[in-house]
Amino acid sequence: RSTATSFAAFSTAPAAPPAAPVDLRVNDVANPVGTGDTVVFGWRVNDTDPDEIQSRYQILVASSADRLAADEGDVWNSGEVASRLQNHVRYGGPALTCDTLYHWKVRTWDKDGNAGPYSPPAAFTVGFLSNTDWAGSNWIRRDTQDADDHTYFRQRVSLPAKEITRATACISGTHRYALHVNGTLVGKGPAFH
């Protein structure tokens, strides 16, 4: 008569660090344009180890893609923050400037204190924050009160004699819009007055 003995083997190998966070959002939108000066960040933790949690995070916000790529948070560096929070994380840097493009990324730590790499870069653009920010705007309006009168506008714009790196069109209307530049459709969607 023999007695069989079974043993359970448990791995003592250390957990792998988390992968880079994904699904980066500002105010619950990916790469939004026209945010206010108060923003909140969000991301999804990307860790394949079982029973993992985020124990820390670090957010970098930079004034250029190059600075962000160099891990330089010249606008804001949250530092390592001990928190499981990964949604509605408040921006904590100096006041954001209207009509400015900001670049950001985040990294996380697992429950064992292993740091993961930074996420791919994301961006957000702060919109106009006060009435004075609209100074110099060229307003285009229709003069009719007929609810069934659809309006089409054509505006010729002369650009300065220098390289254009970014342009923003602020569109407000009733229901929907379609924007064409030099005959090419560049955007369409809902618009609200």
Side-chain angles (χ1 to χ4, degrees):
R1 176 174 157 161
S2 72
T3 304
T5 306
S6 63
F7 296 93
F10 295 97
S11 172
T12 59
V22 294
D23 297 334
L24 274 63
R25 300 169 311 284
V26 171
N27 298 351
D28 290 326
V29 178
N31 300 314
V33 174
T35 71
D37 58 352
T38 302
V39 297
V40 292
F41 300 99
W43 58 88
R44 188 165 50 87
V45 172
N46 188 9
D47 196 328
T48 59
D49 289 335
D51 302 321
E52 270 298 352
I53 59 168
Q54 169 190 299
S55 64
R56 301 174 98 59
Y57 68 80
Q58 181 176 16
I59 299 171
L60 299 179
V61 179
S63 60
S64 72
D66 291 340
R67 287 188 166 174
L68 189 67
D71 296 339
E72 182 184 344
D74 65 317
V75 175
W76 182 53
N77 180 343
S78 70
E80 293 181 26
V81 177
S83 174
R84 293 175 61 181
L85 194 62
Q86 52 193 279
N87 282 302
H88 296 168
V89 176
R90 292 193 176 278
Y91 168 77
L96 298 171
T97 306
C98 82
D99 193 28
T100 302
L101 172 66
Y102 294 97
H103 305 268
W104 75 285
K105 62 185 177 181
V106 62
R107 66 177 174 166
T108 61
W109 282 255
D110 65 14
K111 66 183 179 186
D112 298 317
N114 299 311
Y118 280 108
S119 66
F124 65 98
T125 303
V126 176
F128 293 145
L129 302 173
S130 68
N131 287 341
T132 58
D133 295 334
W134 292 94
S137 296
N138 186 2
W139 296 96
I140 304 170
R141 296 186 175 105
R142 69 179 179 167
D143 293 326
T144 181
Q145 296 297 320
D146 184 352
D148 292 326
D149 187 12
H150 298 281
T151 305
Y152 297 93
F153 296 108
R154 177 171 286 218
Q155 176 73 30
R156 182 174 296 277
V157 177
S158 297
L159 300 176
K162 63 180 184 179
E163 181 183 1
I164 305 298
T165 57
R166 182 174 67 91
T168 303
C170 299
I171 300 172
S172 176
T174 303
H175 303 299
R176 301 190 62 77
Y177 78 92
L179 175 64
H180 294 78
V181 175
N182 294 336
T184 301
L185 178 67
V186 295
K188 64 180 180 178
F192 305 97
H193 51 125

